[in-house]
Amino acid sequence: MKKTTALVSLIFAIIFCLSAFASCAEKTGPGADTTVPSVTAATDTTDAPETDKYEIGDNVPATLNYGDEVINILSRGRDWCKDEISAEDDGNAIHSAVATRNLVTENRLGVKIENTLVPGNDNYEISEKYIRTQVSGGLNDYSLICASVYASIIHTNENLYCDLMDVENLDLSRPYWFEGFNNAAVYKGSQYFCTGAICLSLYRFTFATFFNRQTFEEHSVPFPYDKVNSGEWTLDYQYELASIFYEDVNGDGVAQDQTDKYGFVANHDMISVDPYWSSCKLDILGRNDAGEYVYAVDVDRITLAVEKINALFWDNPGTLRIANQSADSEQPIIAGLFAEGHAAMTTLRLIEVESDAMKNMKDDRGVIPMPKLNAEQDRYYSYVHDTMSAFAIPNTSKDDAEKNMLGAVLEVMASESYKTITPAYYEVTLKARYVNDVESVSMLDLITESIYIDAGILYTKSIESVHQLMRTFIGKNQPSSVSTYFKARAKTVPNAVAKINSELDELKKG
């Protein structure tokens, strides 16, 4: 290994150690069936992260230099993801890693990275407002976009984005790109969006089950790790656990009283029920032999899943339901209730561990995957919120030379992200700071290695929002509506899928 690489690794090990030490001193502060880039770590989280395993490197030629070319990346200013592309080096381990990733990329390629943040919470604005205007007006103001994938990929048919498979210097088969996403997004050898270590939201937006270790101990209930390892961590078992922990603390007999204690707290009518599509392996889109998307729902399996999920939320006195609020602001409320000891278990995205409530939680907590549909299911599957970020090259008057330059920028940013940002977030922020036991460290590996991407989630808005139906089935306590819905749309949704295929075929001809 070159001396410079070793020096960079040493510097990051020191930064990560200092960040971990500071976090202990200060407790206040703000598809296909494949896996994400491997992030398996040593089980001793008190030591400095082992950085060598992240230094897999890339194949971008060292001779490339683009003479201080400005790379303007258009991305979202939403709180969840505003630090994915750029961040001030303010001592925060993640921000320091992002700043360093950009600096290394600039130095390696002779470019200058600038980031234009779109304000607000509108996931659709980047494609529907900015890039449409750029393409129709013959403009070229933005080199790359980093946008909500479900709100952007559906506009591929408008010829807004370049085919990444035609771009030199970009190798999406490298381990720092997410193969599971590639397999869901590729169509007959063409692909227009990519994600992986380059997008921190791939990890942040992954859903998991958190549990309060102290509450389990107080009720003499074994931690669920053994059930996970034996394949018996299922919806039925979570139902059993939820009923054990309920306490009418104030004795008023009022159901859904947030001052009481529960076995399970979660949102029941919005994003917290979306993950069951993955965790219960409820496929929406598959492939035929020609590589085209096909409608692949198993109505009987979905019906069974909805019955079990509905029972957990509506028939179990140990479940506290929290309704959706604007901009998903119920998520920090749920994190607060869990952190304050009002529930033994909760469903949350991993990003919630960065909240003040979870940082300041007094009780020790553990983390495990979301439960399987039943013990017969082959394995655990993890869901990433459909607003996760993905990169694309706008199809805006770019010649081959510019596209190949942007391929190099994406590739170097991705490999450097894996070297710097992934360990800063995964090893320090998640493992060293916010989990309290060795078992949860291995569980985090299981959760992230089990991420499953269904193309039906990527294209949900083009196929009558099938994947958002769980919000209605569970949110309105309507398990009987499953068969009614799918019977009514037995033709319209397959027709919508056929339209996607036809439009992507036409795009390839152009």
Side-chain angles (χ1 to χ4, degrees), residues 377-391:
Q377 183 173 309
D378 60 341
R379 65 175 182 82
Y380 300 98
Y381 294 91
S382 299
Y383 172 85
V384 185
H385 192 266
D386 56 15
T387 59
M388 66 178 174
S389 300
F391 273 84

Side-chain angles (χ1 to χ4, degrees), residues 208-228:
T209 302
F210 291 89
F211 69 94
N212 187 313
R213 290 167 55 91
Q214 181 171 318
T215 301
F216 271 66
E217 289 176 334
E218 289 173 351
H219 287 76
S220 300
V221 176
F223 298 149
Y225 299 124
D226 287 343
K227 288 292 185 181
V228 173

Side-chain angles (χ1 to χ4, degrees), residues 361-415:
M361 183 174 177
K362 294 180 181 179
D363 296 342
D364 287 343
R365 61 175 172 266
V367 62
I368 54 178
M370 289 194 63
K372 300 193 297 183
L373 173 63
N374 50 36
E376 289 72 39
Q377 183 173 309
D378 60 341
R379 65 175 182 82
Y380 300 98
Y381 294 91
S382 299
Y383 172 85
V384 185
H385 192 266
D386 56 15
T387 59
M388 66 178 174
S389 300
F391 273 84
I393 300 175
N395 191 20
T396 49
S397 306
K398 291 176 170 57
D399 59 21
D400 288 344
E402 182 178 1
K403 286 188 284 187
N404 294 339
M405 174 188 68
L406 295 174
V409 170
L410 283 171
E411 191 75 3
V412 173
M413 284 185 69
S415 65

Side-chain angles (χ1 to χ4, degrees), residues 158-189:
E158 300 176 39
N159 201 23
L160 298 185
Y161 301 106
C162 300
D163 185 353
L164 300 177
M165 295 303 187
D166 293 335
V167 176
E168 293 182 8
N169 302 314
L170 183 62
D171 183 358
L172 297 181
S173 69
R174 297 289 291 169
Y176 35 78
W177 295 109
F178 181 16
E179 184 183 6
F181 177 87
N182 293 342
N183 290 338
V186 71
Y187 183 83
K188 296 183 179 179

